[in-house]
């Protein structure tokens, strides 16, 4: 079965760089059409999409956060890593990694599997 | 401010029907598939509807989806107290900066 699990620090200080790792199983990121995405949710607020990496190593970023984000993958380890620089208290949120399978025409059908999320608090 | 617009809250009595709207534009809903997610308190979102109106395995047919133009609607019939949750719509945005976009979420209260 498909599972995804986020790992990383629960607490980071302002201006620090956050590094989160998504370890997944049940699928391969080398399969055509397969993508992994990061999505976050501040406490009591809505979902916010952050970044996506696809099977071909193409990367897409949120326009508002593009300068601070880097997404990468290690297919052999079934991992996707997200780094976010210059963390601020407003970045306090639960960070989810999720699977997004695209069809052969590249169409998005939905986020079909989500990790449990990891809460990251930004505070000095 | 979310790209897709949803009502902040809806409510209905057990057994009744409720609909949740999701409004976008031609660059997102108008030309892409819409999906819906249910987020129960303290849990990760779960895919409820994909491709505008399809249900993943295990999702009861009390949940339905539709799309018209640049808007989409989630319908829930036979409301149960266990349906109390936040519901989000999502889709792809094909503008210059391709991205996944979500609505602001709708809190469903089953009175």
């Amino acid at each position: 079965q498909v599972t995804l699990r986020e790992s990383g620090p629960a607490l980071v200080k302002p201006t620090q760089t956050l590094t989160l790792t998504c370890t997944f199983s049940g699928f391969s990121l080398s399969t055509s059409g397969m993508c992994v995405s990061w999505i976050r949710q501040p406490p009591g607020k809505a979902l916010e999409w952050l970044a996506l990496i696809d099977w071909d190593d193409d990367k897409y970023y949120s326009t508002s956060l593009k300068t601070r984000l880097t997404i990468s993958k290690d297919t052999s380890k079934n991992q996707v890593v997200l780094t976010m620089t210059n963390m601020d208290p407003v970045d306090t949120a639960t960070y989810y990694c999720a699977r997004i399978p695209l069809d052969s025409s590249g169409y998005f059908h939905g986020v079909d599997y989500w990790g449990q999320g990891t809460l990251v608090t930004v505070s000095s | 401010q979310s790209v897709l617009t949803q009502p902040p809250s809806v409510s209905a009595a057990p057994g009744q029907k409720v609909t949740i709207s999701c409004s976008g534009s031609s660059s997102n809903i108008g030309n892409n598939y819409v999906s819906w997610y249910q987020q129960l308190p303290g849990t990760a979102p779960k895919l409820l509807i994909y491709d505008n109106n399809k249900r993943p395995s295990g999702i009861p047919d009390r949940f339905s989806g539709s799309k018209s133009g640049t808007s989409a609607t989630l319908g829930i019939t036979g409301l149960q107290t266990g349906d109390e949750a936040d519901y989000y719509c999502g889709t792809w945005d094909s503008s210059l900066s391709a991205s996944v976009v979500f609505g602001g979420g709708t809190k469903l209260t089953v009175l």
Side-chain angles (χ1 to χ4, degrees), chain B residues 37-93:
Chain B
Y37 306 88
Q38 178 192 59
Q39 186 175 33
L40 296 169
T43 69
K46 179 176 79 172
L47 181 64
L48 206 58
I49 297 288
Y50 68 99
D51 287 2
N52 305 331
N53 55 18
K54 297 178 183 175
R55 285 174 287 105
S57 174
I59 301 300
D61 59 6
R62 299 188 298 107
F63 296 90
S64 64
S66 64
K67 186 184 107 168
S68 179
T70 58
S71 294
T73 301
L74 173 70
I76 311 172
T77 59
L79 276 172
Q80 302 173 1
T81 55
D83 296 331
E84 276 208 351
D86 293 322
Y87 293 84
Y88 294 90
C89 56
T91 187
W92 186 259
D93 193 298

Side-chain angles (χ1 to χ4, degrees), chain A residues 37 39 41 44-49 52 60-63 66 96 100 102-103 106-117, chain B residues 2 31-35 37 39 43-47 49-52 86 88 90-92 97-105:
Chain A
S37 199
I39 298 156
Q41 185 174 37
K45 296 189 177 181
L47 301 171
E48 178 184 19
W49 177 78
L52 178 149
Y60 301 86
Y61 296 100
S62 162
T63 302
K66 184 173 185 174
Y96 297 99
I100 297 178
L102 304 180
D103 66 17
Y107 279 101
F108 167 87
H109 297 271
V111 183
D112 64 352
Y113 288 95
W114 299 68
Q116 65 184 19
Chain B
S2 300
N31 284 286
N32 291 282
Y33 292 113
V34 176
S35 48
Y37 306 88
Q39 186 175 33
T43 69
K46 179 176 79 172
L47 181 64
I49 297 288
Y50 68 99
D51 287 2
N52 305 331
D86 293 322
Y88 294 90
T91 187
W92 186 259
S97 305
S99 60
V100 177
V101 291
F102 293 103

Side-chain angles (χ1 to χ4, degrees), chain A residues 23-88:
Chain A
T23 304
F24 56 87
S25 64
F27 67 98
S28 173
L29 199 40
S30 60
T31 299
S32 179
M34 204 58 68
C35 309
V36 170
S37 199
W38 285 94
I39 298 156
R40 73 178 179 180
Q41 185 174 37
K45 296 189 177 181
L47 301 171
E48 178 184 19
W49 177 78
L50 299 177
L52 178 149
I53 189 165
D54 71 13
W55 76 100
D56 208 23
D57 209 33
D58 290 323
K59 300 157 189 174
Y60 301 86
Y61 296 100
S62 162
T63 302
S64 61
L65 294 167
K66 184 173 185 174
T67 60
R68 299 173 54 205
L69 296 173
T70 303
I71 192 170
S72 62
K73 65 182 175 75
D74 186 330
T75 306
S76 65
K77 291 183 178 179
N78 281 353
Q79 290 182 333
V80 170
V81 174
L82 180 77
T83 62
M84 181 180 290
T85 60
N86 195 25
M87 293 292 285
D88 184 272

